[in-house]
Amino acid sequence: MAETMTTNGTATDVQTFQNYIGGQWRDAASGETFEDRNPARQSDLIGRFPKSTAEDVDAAVKAARDAYDGWRLMPAPQRGDILRKLGDILTERKSELAHAMTREMGKPFFETKGDVQEAIDTAYYAATEGRRLFGHTVPSELSNKFNMSIRLPIGVVGVITAWNFPVAVPTWKMFPAVLAGNTVVFKPSEEAPHSGMLLVQAMIDAGFPDGVVNLVQGAGDVGQAIVEHEGTNVITFTGSTETGSHIGAVCGRMHKRFSFEMGGKNPAIVMEDADLDLALEGLLWGAFGTTGQRCTATSRLIVHEDVHDKLVDMLKARAADLQLGYGNEDATEMGPMINGKAIEKVERYVEIAKNEGATLALGGERATGDGLDDGHFFQPTIFTGVTPEMRVAKEEVFGPFLSVIKIKSFDEAIEVANNIPYGLSSAVYTKDVARAFRAMRDIEAGITYINGPTIGAEAHMPFGGVKGTGNGHREGGWEVFDFYTETKTVYVDYSGTLQKAQIDNVED
Ligand code: UN1
């Protein structure tokens, strides 16, 4: 497929892209397409992508099903070899992929390179797991009998992802799924179809057999068709809590395994003994990196009263100086928001915060001016005087929006941190070891960083949240392989006699 993308945001000609089903590039059955535009430069049309329907999903699920037997029977170390090659290909294409991703979803090039690196790490990590996938061997309670558990793949996995980590997050899902012997139907976000397509192209080039990976582009109705299709056995989803709850209801009814990563309202606690310069760097990166559009963004600063004013002044000065612009330009530190609706949502929360009595300390408006008027830019925004019961202390804004809450003690900080319906990430800045360990134990979140920002996931560590953020599963790390495998318990009786567990070996 010829690539027409240029890194400076001008398309040489507009290309129409396709779905990838059963080893073939195909248009949507409807023949319709949707447009994909650069959020920093709306006049830059990246391409047209297939507007798929349930018919395309059906073809993709059938292709995945047909490929399943061949794939599950390939020895796992050989599946791992393909993933290792995929890691090599992604390494070679790191810059190309990162530039395309920046053009499509806005975060600066230094961030999108990190996104691709996360995919590379995930590929190499999954490759090694092909030589583990351990089960257990334990003693039997009977003579001449052998007990073990083995891992088996589950079937067809439906992968539905968001646009903010359009390469890394799909790889967290697809790479362990295929390594374990499952086949995949992947629907990227309709805001990041090009990144999804380039990722699938890399997978094809690595040598996955036809039908193991299938790509179906489109919006929420396509995701719904994947969830509702009787041929998908597992659903993995990253997106809003509202959509996740809906998917969970369907999966529960249809007896599917499902894993969610959803919203967050992540706190960074800064105590009076913290290194404020360190906290400042972490807060800027946590709150305004990816323009605040991360599930793990720092959206609440919970700060001790003794250092509140000083830290807020430091934050305001640095945040006001952040260079906004197109992320493929070197000077850019913060990119655009993904679309006009996302901007409107932040604007709504600015009004809500004002009406609730919070004080606007910085920003609060669209960013306009040189190089910004053709994009969806919003100023870094900070509200002080936020109290724990305000909506801006509890609801996810998903933008460059930081709510500052003043506290008097560590106990109060923990109480405020936990006073939300979510529980993904959290951070604590302190030099007190006892406080650090209490935070690890008492903050209700899947991830706690000590003296680091709320973001910084590593591919070989479990990632996920508690409460409204998830449903008990983890991505990444060793735990994700539990999600993508079924446990089979095997008993081998070589006694040559009938032995009855719990009966023959227990005397009354
Ligand atoms: C997400 O926002 O969906 O370390 C994931 C982190 C990021 C992952 C964020 N790399 O928090």
Side-chain angles (χ1 to χ4, degrees), residues 177-217:
V178 294
L179 184 279
N182 304 285
T183 57
V184 160
V185 175
F186 170 37
K187 188 199 90 66
S189 163
E190 65 273 32
E191 298 287 359
H194 192 220
S195 302
M197 190 284 289
L198 292 173
L199 172 60
V200 169
Q201 182 67 61
M203 294 180 82
I204 296 165
D205 296 343
F208 286 93
D210 292 352
V212 171
V213 184
N214 302 277
L215 171 72
V216 187
Q217 301 278 12

Side-chain angles (χ1 to χ4, degrees), residues 118 164-165 169 172 238 293-296 449 454-457 463:
E118 217 165 310
N164 61 339
F165 281 81
V169 169
W172 291 0
T238 295
Q293 301 170 108
R294 286 180 184 135
C295 313
T296 51
Y449 291 91
T454 55
I455 84 147
F463 179 95

Side-chain angles (χ1 to χ4, degrees), residues 284 287-289 316-325 331-334 380:
L284 288 165
F288 303 120
K316 274 164 59 177
R318 285 284 300 280
D321 258 5
L322 285 172
Q323 177 79 40
L324 272 59
T332 298
E333 293 173 301
M334 190 174 105

Side-chain angles (χ1 to χ4, degrees), residues 457-477:
E458 298 181 28
H460 61 295
M461 295 293 285
F463 179 95
V466 303
K467 302 202 286 194
T469 296
N471 65 332
H473 293 290
R474 292 290 178 270
E475 312 209 76

